[in-house]
Amino acid sequence: MTTRRTRPAPRPPEGTPPPAELARQARAVLADAVRIAHWAADGTGTGSAPLAAQALERAAAALELSPAQVRAGWDRARLAGLIELHGDTARPGWRLRAWDRDDSAVLRGWVALFDAWSLVHASPDGIEATAVAEAVEAVPQVLSLLQLSAGAVTVPALLDLLGQRVAELHEERCEVPYGPREQPVAAGGRSADLNALLLDWALEGLASVGALTLGAGHATLTPLGNWAVWVKLEQICVAAQSPAGNIEQSAADMLLGCARLTPGPARAEYRAWLAARPVGSAVAELLAVARGEDALLRGLAFEALRVVGAPAEPVVRSVVTEAPLRPYALLWLAEYEGTDPDDAQDVLSREEATWLWVDTAAAVADHGETGLLVRHLDSAVQGTVPALLDEVRAVGHPRTVQVLVALAAAHPDPALAKAVRRAAFQVHTGGA
């Protein structure tokens, strides 16, 4: 027999500053954003996005910053989770409240900004969205080369790598270039000048968030950037060593692979899967799964979105109007804004809580054990089974009949099971 040993905790590369020093550097990068967040959160300014012109002028005067600095700081504060918008009101995010005392919160806030670099730095005018998206998808390889080189890397070397990665993306999509070419063509069938323009944009964007420094014809990761890239590479390595190999899976298969894991290991798998993908496309893929018919995957998708944090906040807020996702989105936003998870249910209306109860019951019926479905009755907000059945019938969930039938089959009390079957029949036939 062999004894499987736990993988030791990885150590950062030699020369990596301690967390306290990394947090100090992150605080310096976000200093203006923190000042603006405090200004906005104290009620002196409105929270419209982008920052309203009058509020912009007031902030510039109060903080002795230029309007451009205020606008940039405002965007960074939102992306780093320092402020949150509720209608036209800006409120302090939990990271702002913990900013001076919690180094890990500071580093998580900076990593959220780092992940959103392409939102911080506007892409060049006149470039197709597809080309911009390909550049963003290729940037992790560029960052990996910078991290593994442990020093300055010339721009031509980075440009060559970017072109190779874009070519791989085209091959994966079976895109073959054709037609006459008047400009030099880089790997992937795209103009070399376009790749150079996009590389310059990416390097400038990463420099603007403090991830690297630019010199004459070369780029170098900062200690913060080096640490962040190492963390993401380490997450990928951990996932690659897992028996499930979730990093290579689609979002749906990854979530199914994590379904029976306890919360800690599941979060580690989510982080590794997310680290291997551009944050925007990862969030979009998770939400696509959440919109599907599998209620278990819907719940797990929002658990994975909790790991994403600040970069997912605008997208999660945008799906609050979608009835199937609304309860999940409201709970996600409540916890993101600092509400204790045990109290987060209070943000749901009675109808929303009932919808969520049915959706969770559908997940249990599809993937769980009989006993779990019976115990799920105890989690309903209604005090009695008749009240629950009345409200479940009224809420209009598409899985109501299947859930009630499964519950009736599972419940050991014949009288209660009969009442549940009657409710299922009434929903099915449209009776009262």
Side-chain angles (χ1 to χ4, degrees):
M1 292 180 64
T2 59
T3 302
R4 184 175 178 177
R5 301 181 63 182
T6 302
R7 187 175 186 267
R11 298 177 64 86
E14 186 176 354
T16 301
E21 172 58 21
L22 290 171
R24 185 196 67 77
Q25 295 177 18
R27 287 186 176 98
V29 171
L30 284 161
D32 284 350
V34 170
R35 293 179 63 202
I36 292 167
H38 279 299
W39 175 85
D42 68 5
T44 58
T46 59
S48 57
L51 194 60
Q54 293 180 345
L56 181 67
E57 293 173 2
R58 291 200 305 274
L63 301 174
E64 298 182 349
L65 297 172
S66 70
Q69 288 174 315
V70 172
R71 190 177 293 107
W74 174 261
D75 290 340
R76 290 169 179 237
R78 293 181 63 225
L79 292 169
L82 296 169
I83 52 176
E84 299 154 4
L85 299 184
H86 302 262
D88 287 334
T89 303
R91 297 179 187 171
W94 71 269
R95 286 193 179 120
L96 183 62
R97 294 190 289 269
W99 196 254
D100 294 329
R101 55 179 171 78
D102 189 341
D103 288 346
S104 64
V106 172
L107 290 174
R108 285 195 297 270
W110 181 83
V111 169
L113 180 69
F114 169 65
D115 287 338
W117 68 266
S118 60
L119 303 179
V120 174
H121 192 60
S123 59
D125 293 334
I127 305 298
E128 290 185 358
T130 300
V132 173
E134 288 172 348
V136 172
E137 196 169 348
V139 159
Q141 279 69 32
V142 172
L143 289 169
S144 296
L145 176 59
L146 285 163
Q147 197 271 338
L148 294 171
S149 298
V153 179
T154 64
V155 169
L158 297 175
L159 182 59
D160 182 58
L161 179 60
L162 179 73
Q164 291 179 29
R165 180 56 184 148
V166 169
E168 291 171 359
L169 293 173
H170 287 185
E171 288 176 6
E172 291 170 5
R173 297 170 186 142
C174 298
E175 296 177 4
V176 180
Y178 62 92
R181 302 281 177 184
E182 295 182 358
Q183 294 181 332
V185 176
R190 203 162 73 182
S191 163
D193 289 342
L194 177 57
N195 278 346
L197 179 63
L198 288 168
L199 177 65
D200 287 345
W201 165 68
L203 294 179
E204 290 168 1
L206 291 163
S208 73
V209 299
L212 53 80
T213 56
L214 299 176
H218 63 268
T220 309
L221 285 176
T222 63
L224 266 177
N226 188 68
W227 166 79
V229 176
W230 171 78
V231 168
K232 293 181 181 297
L233 289 173
E234 184 62 28
Q235 289 170 345
I236 292 171
C237 291
V238 170
Q241 293 177 9
S242 68
N246 288 316
I247 191 171
E248 300 293 340
Q249 304 297 324
S250 66
D253 290 339
M254 179 274 294
L255 293 171
L256 279 176
C258 296
R260 294 193 178 276
L261 297 178
T262 54
R267 283 192 293 270
E269 291 290 310
Y270 300 152
R271 291 189 186 97
W273 185 87
L274 290 162
R277 290 158 177 78
V279 65
S281 61
V283 169
E285 191 175 349
L286 289 170
L287 279 178
V289 172
R291 291 188 176 100
E293 297 182 357
D294 194 322
L296 175 67
L297 294 186
R298 185 159 28 257
L300 292 175
F302 276 87
E303 288 298 320
L305 288 170
R306 284 176 171 82
V307 174
V308 177
E313 184 265 342
V315 182
V316 172
R317 198 173 293 281
S318 72
V319 303
V320 166
T321 56
E322 300 181 30
L325 304 186
R326 179 176 173 80
Y328 295 95
L330 290 175
L331 291 175
W332 190 98
L333 291 167
E335 293 178 28
Y336 174 74
E337 291 161 6
T339 302
D340 189 294
D342 292 336
D343 300 328
Q345 291 277 346
D346 295 341
V347 305
L348 301 181
S349 68
R350 183 93 162 199
E351 183 179 1
E352 291 159 356
T354 302
W355 178 286
L356 183 61
W357 186 91
V358 179
D359 211 49
T360 306
V364 175
D366 290 343
H367 300 278
E369 300 174 358
T370 300
L372 289 177
L373 190 58
V374 174
R375 290 196 294 274
H376 184 55
L377 274 173
D378 297 334
S379 67
V381 296
Q382 294 79 6
T384 65
V385 171
L388 170 64
L389 294 178
D390 285 343
E391 295 186 33
V392 163
R393 288 159 53 190
V395 80
H397 193 289
R399 293 292 303 279
T400 298
V401 173
Q402 294 95 321
V403 164
L404 293 178
V405 169
L407 181 58
H411 207 283
D413 184 335
L416 190 148
K418 182 179 179 180
V420 174
R421 277 195 299 272
R422 184 185 304 114
F425 176 77
Q426 290 170 342
V427 173
H428 178 63
T429 60

